[in-house]
């Protein structure tokens, strides 16, 4: 027995060593794999101007960053709240990849650091889409001595900061046009961020008048911080479909801009993701916006800055061409020589880049406004066309119909024949609907097996019903790919201004009418304003 025991342990110990070594090797492989995966995930920091509390800015905007992280492969986006003065040092140290800021600050960053706008915010308030903003001049409602802009002479004014575009410069520019120079005629107190401080200073009697950005007063009222009835806007401006209190003119909303060193492929993916973001989704609701649009033109902002010589337009140089030649003769000669030497090489490269850029812009435009499956207008383009149609109808008294169309029995086609056949049926339905509509009308893909018909300028209910019958007949013709299954539709119709005066109201009533048509057996249309007006296409 004493002889066999050591022999057993000699066999057991090597086996244990092998197991331990194998476990250690597996752990090392997992650690290396995890480290490489972490290295592969590129972090993009998005500097965001915090015109209110920084923690609020992170809470509002990080969901948008998380949305981009989910849409851009291998990337993670982080919201970095900053004051206006903090941007310069952060960009100088290459700590930011994108910036989201007010238009005046964007012009400065574009000029100094070469950032370029890629998208513009679109907000929604009471069913209206807004991609512009302005400034507000307000006083307490019991200050009857302040009625006009000229009454601000000799008054105490609360503003955020001299560099603030919407909470100082716009109001300053407007008052100068009315003969009031607040720097000499009034007492201005700069309270800093958040802008809530200016509102509270007026309510507390520490200031007679306050400056702030549009939308802030309404936001504070929603949050229960103020009662709007205690404030009055001085010389309020009136703009059609603009939902906020305003005194100044309108200017484009905040832009998202990319730093030059960000790869163009990443920038394109970010733009595509933002343009395809579901309108009013969780990320948009968190930051109180509706969706994104292609970047607007910011020349109007630059004009205000130039008019008041705001940095970087604060210096006026008088240098003649001969002064430049005498001072930099050698540099000019060398530059011309290098330009001539490299022209042939750069020409071809520039031409290739321009071709690629045009193709990229065309692709982005298609992605932003067209449904990928059917080629029909998508929700973004439908929203724009509906807004134009309603604006025209308000001016001319014309009528507009929103028709929500849902295919009957589409699920059995998908379940029995597969999604590929289902997609082919949707494309076929889209083709027949588009062919049957009038040139001035629109058919858009709403999602799934739902379509929206936008009917403009019909004369009476009879003409509208005739169009609906043609639509039902067009859907019924779409049987080439359905494998013998019948194809029909239920259509709910809502008419402006009979049913509703806003886009949201029209869609709600069209949805109610569509479900009523479904309950009645489908293959028919229902007019919301006329519950008895239900028609079915003859079998």
């Amino acid at each position: 027995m004493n002889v066999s025991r050591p022999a057993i342990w000699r066999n057991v110990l090597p086996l244990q060593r092998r197991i331990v070594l194998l476990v250690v090797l597996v752990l090392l492989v997992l650690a290396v794999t995890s480290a490489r995966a972490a290295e592969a995930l590129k972090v993009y920091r998005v500097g965001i101007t915090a015109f209110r509390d920084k923690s609020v800015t992170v809470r509002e905007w990080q969901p948008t960053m998380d949305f981009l992280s989910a849409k851009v492969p291998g990337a993670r986006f982080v919201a970095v709240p900053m004051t206006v003065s903090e941007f310069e040092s952060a960009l100088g140290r290459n700590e930011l990849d994108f910036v989201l800021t007010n238009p005046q600050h964007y012009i400065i960053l574009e000029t100094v650091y070469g950032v370029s706008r890629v998208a513009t915010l679109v907000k929604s308030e009471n069913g209206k889409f807004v991609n512009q903003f302005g400034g507000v001049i307000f006083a307490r409602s019991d200050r009857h001595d302040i009625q006009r802009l000229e009454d601000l002479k000799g008054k105490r004014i609360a503003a955020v900061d001299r560099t603030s575009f919407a909470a100082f410069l716009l109001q300053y520019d407007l008052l100068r046009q009315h003969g009031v120079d607040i720097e000499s005629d009034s007492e201005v107190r700069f309270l800093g961020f958040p802008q809530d401080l200016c509102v509270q200073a007026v309510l507390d009697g520490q200031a007679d008048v306050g400056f702030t950005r549009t939308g802030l007063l309404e936001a504070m009222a929603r949050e229960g911080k103020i009662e709007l009835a205690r404030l009055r806007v001085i010389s309020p401006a009136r703009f059609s479909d603009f939902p906020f209190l305003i005194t100044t003119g309108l200017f484009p909303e905040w832009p998202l801009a990319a730093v030059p060193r960000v790869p163009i492929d990443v920038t394109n993916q970010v733009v595509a993701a933002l343009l395809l973001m579901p309108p009013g989704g969780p990320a948009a609701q968190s930051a109180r916006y509706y969706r994104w649009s292609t970047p607007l033109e910011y020349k109007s902002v630059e004009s205000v800055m130039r008019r008041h010589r705001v940095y970087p337009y604060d210096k006026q140089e008088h240098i003649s061409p001969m002064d430049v030649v005498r001072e930099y003769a050698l540099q000019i000669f060398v530059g011309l020589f290098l330009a001539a030497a490299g022209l042939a090489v750069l020409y071809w490269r520039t031409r290739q880049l321009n071709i690629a850029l045009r193709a990229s812009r065309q692709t982005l435009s298609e992605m932003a406004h067209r449904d990928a499956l059917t080629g029909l207008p998508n929700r973004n383009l439908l929203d724009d066309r509906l807004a134009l149609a309603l604006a025209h109808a308000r001016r001319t008294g014309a009528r507009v119909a929103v028709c929500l169309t849902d295919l009957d029995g589409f699920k059995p086609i998908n379940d029995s024949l597969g999604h590929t056949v289902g997609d082919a049926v949707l494309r076929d339905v889209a083709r027949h609907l588009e062919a049957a509509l009038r040139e001035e009308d629109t058919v858009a893909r709403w999602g799934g097996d739902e379509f929206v018909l936008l009917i403009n300028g019909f004369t009476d209910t009879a003409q509208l019903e005739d169009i609906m019958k043609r639509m039902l007949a067009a859907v019924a013709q779409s049987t080439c790919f359905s494998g013998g299954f019948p194809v029909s539709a239920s259509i709910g119709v809502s008419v402006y201004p009979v049913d509703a005066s806003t886009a949201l109201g029209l869609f709600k009533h069209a949805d109610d009418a569509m479900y009523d048509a479904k309950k009645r057996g489908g293959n028919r249309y229902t007019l919301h304003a006329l519950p008895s007006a239900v028609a079915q296409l003859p079998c």
Side-chain angles (χ1 to χ4, degrees):
M1 295 294 294
N2 294 332
V3 175
S4 60
R5 185 179 179 87
I8 293 174
W9 283 107
R10 281 196 300 271
N11 293 332
V12 172
L13 289 175
L15 178 60
Q16 291 177 335
R17 294 193 191 99
R18 292 191 189 99
I19 293 174
V20 171
L21 289 173
L22 181 59
V23 171
V24 171
L25 181 60
V26 170
L27 291 175
L28 286 173
V29 171
L30 290 175
V32 171
T33 304
S34 300
R36 289 181 177 176
E39 292 175 359
L41 195 63
K42 171 67 176 175
V43 176
Y44 292 94
R45 292 165 56 85
V46 182
I48 303 174
T49 297
F51 69 92
R52 301 185 73 181
D53 185 79
K54 285 189 176 182
S55 62
V56 174
T57 301
V58 173
R59 186 170 66 248
E60 290 178 345
W61 284 101
Q62 189 56 46
T64 299
M65 303 301 107
D66 295 338
F67 174 84
L68 289 176
S69 300
K71 296 296 183 181
V72 180
R76 182 165 67 90
F77 293 81
V78 178
V80 183
M82 313 186 82
T83 63
V84 171
S85 60
E86 291 172 340
F87 271 89
E88 184 172 350
S89 58
L91 287 169
R93 294 192 300 266
N94 291 326
E95 294 177 352
L96 297 178
D97 303 287
F98 293 88
V99 296
L100 178 61
T101 186
N102 68 71
Q104 176 188 353
H105 193 213
Y106 162 70
I107 295 294
I108 296 173
L109 298 183
E110 179 188 55
T111 304
V112 178
Y113 295 99
V115 304
S116 56
R117 63 188 186 276
V118 296
T120 295
L121 273 178
V122 178
K123 296 188 175 183
S124 177
E125 185 75 13
N126 298 327
K128 298 177 181 178
F129 306 129
V130 182
N131 58 2
Q132 294 176 300
F133 74 103
V136 184
I137 302 175
F138 62 94
R140 271 190 355 201
S141 55
D142 59 0
R143 290 296 302 267
H144 303 296
D145 58 322
I146 308 175
Q147 300 290 337
R148 304 174 305 145
L149 295 176
E150 291 77 6
D151 295 336
L152 269 66
K153 290 184 178 181
K155 300 299 188 294
R156 298 170 299 166
I157 299 173
V160 174
D161 186 88
R162 187 177 297 275
T163 62
S164 175
F165 186 70
F168 179 73
L169 185 59
L170 291 184
Q171 293 87 339
Y172 175 79
D173 180 62
L174 179 63
L175 288 167
R176 286 294 297 267
Q177 296 176 35
H178 284 76
V180 180
D181 185 351
I182 58 177
E183 292 186 306
S184 59
D185 299 337
S186 308
E187 177 188 345
V188 183
R189 297 177 57 198
F190 295 107
L191 305 181
F193 289 98
Q195 294 187 26
D196 307 40
L197 297 175
C198 298
V199 181
Q200 200 58 51
V202 172
L203 290 173
D204 294 343
Q206 299 175 12
D208 304 310
V209 177
F211 294 169
T212 189
R213 171 194 164 99
T214 52
L216 180 69
L217 297 180
E218 291 86 348
M220 293 182 69
R222 283 196 304 268
E223 296 166 4
K225 295 182 178 180
I226 64 170
E227 296 179 13
L228 274 180
R230 294 187 61 196
L231 298 172
R232 185 181 73 257
V233 176
I234 310 302
S235 296
R238 300 281 185 260
F239 295 100
S240 176
D241 292 333
F242 188 74
F244 300 115
L245 298 171
I246 186 172
T247 304
T248 70
L250 288 174
F251 295 83
E253 260 290 357
W254 282 26
L256 176 71
V259 174
R261 58 186 172 79
V262 177
I264 189 171
D265 290 343
V266 174
T267 301
N268 285 343
Q269 291 180 69
V270 168
V271 174
L274 292 177
L275 293 179
L276 294 176
M277 175 185 284
Q285 290 179 10
S286 176
R288 301 195 303 276
Y289 64 89
Y290 181 66
R291 61 180 172 89
W292 295 83
S293 72
T294 50
L296 298 182
E297 179 58 62
Y298 289 80
K299 288 293 185 184
S300 59
V301 179
E302 181 181 328
S303 297
V304 174
M305 296 172 67
R306 286 186 179 275
R307 187 156 57 242
H308 298 286
R309 296 186 181 178
V310 175
Y311 177 80
Y313 307 113
D314 54 343
K315 295 181 180 179
Q316 186 174 5
E317 298 183 0
H318 300 281
I319 303 175
S320 68
M322 289 306 300
D323 292 335
V324 176
V325 172
R326 283 192 295 267
E327 182 69 22
Y328 302 103
L330 179 60
Q331 291 89 333
I332 292 174
F333 175 79
V334 172
L336 290 174
F337 176 81
L338 293 176
L343 187 59
V345 177
L346 291 177
Y347 172 77
W348 175 254
R349 179 60 179 164
T350 302
R351 185 171 181 272
Q352 293 300 107
L353 289 175
N354 285 335
I355 293 174
L357 182 60
R358 283 195 296 270
S360 176
R361 287 177 174 172
Q362 180 64 31
T363 301
L364 287 175
S365 178
E366 290 294 325
M367 292 173 64
H369 297 99
R370 292 286 172 179
D371 174 57
L373 176 64
T374 63
L376 293 178
N378 62 13
R379 289 191 181 195
N380 289 338
L381 185 52
L382 177 65
D383 287 343
D384 292 341
R385 290 189 180 180
L386 178 55
L388 291 174
L390 291 179
H392 179 264
R394 291 187 187 103
R395 293 193 305 269
T396 63
R399 287 187 285 183
V400 177
V402 172
C403 312
L404 192 57
T405 305
D406 185 81
L407 299 185
D408 301 323
F410 182 70
K411 189 175 185 299
I413 297 177
N414 255 349
D415 293 344
S416 302
L417 305 178
H419 292 287
T420 301
V421 173
D423 290 346
V425 171
L426 291 175
R427 286 191 292 267
D428 198 37
V429 170
R431 181 174 60 84
H432 281 93
L433 287 174
E434 198 168 28
L437 271 182
R438 303 175 304 171
E439 184 177 350
E440 61 267 29
D441 300 330
T442 296
V443 56
R445 175 118 182 267
W446 191 246
D449 59 339
E450 290 185 324
F451 298 84
V452 174
L453 309 174
L454 178 59
I455 311 299
N456 293 296
F458 55 92
T459 56
D460 51 34
T461 303
Q463 184 184 12
L464 179 59
E465 292 193 83
D466 181 63
I467 296 172
M468 293 301 101
K469 292 174 183 177
R470 291 208 313 270
M471 295 303 102
L472 291 175
V475 174
Q477 296 173 12
S478 307
T479 56
C480 296
F481 304 96
S482 64
F485 286 94
V487 181
S488 63
S490 298
I491 305 177
V493 184
S494 178
V495 178
Y496 170 90
V498 177
D499 297 317
S501 60
T502 66
L504 291 178
L506 289 171
F507 274 110
K508 180 182 182 303
H509 293 321
D511 189 57
D512 293 341
M514 185 269 288
Y515 276 104
D516 184 66
K518 283 280 188 188
K519 291 178 183 177
R520 296 172 183 264
N523 192 27
R524 67 191 65 226
Y525 64 87
T526 300
L527 274 64
H528 180 269
L530 304 170
S532 61
V534 178
Q536 180 179 16
L537 193 68
C539 297

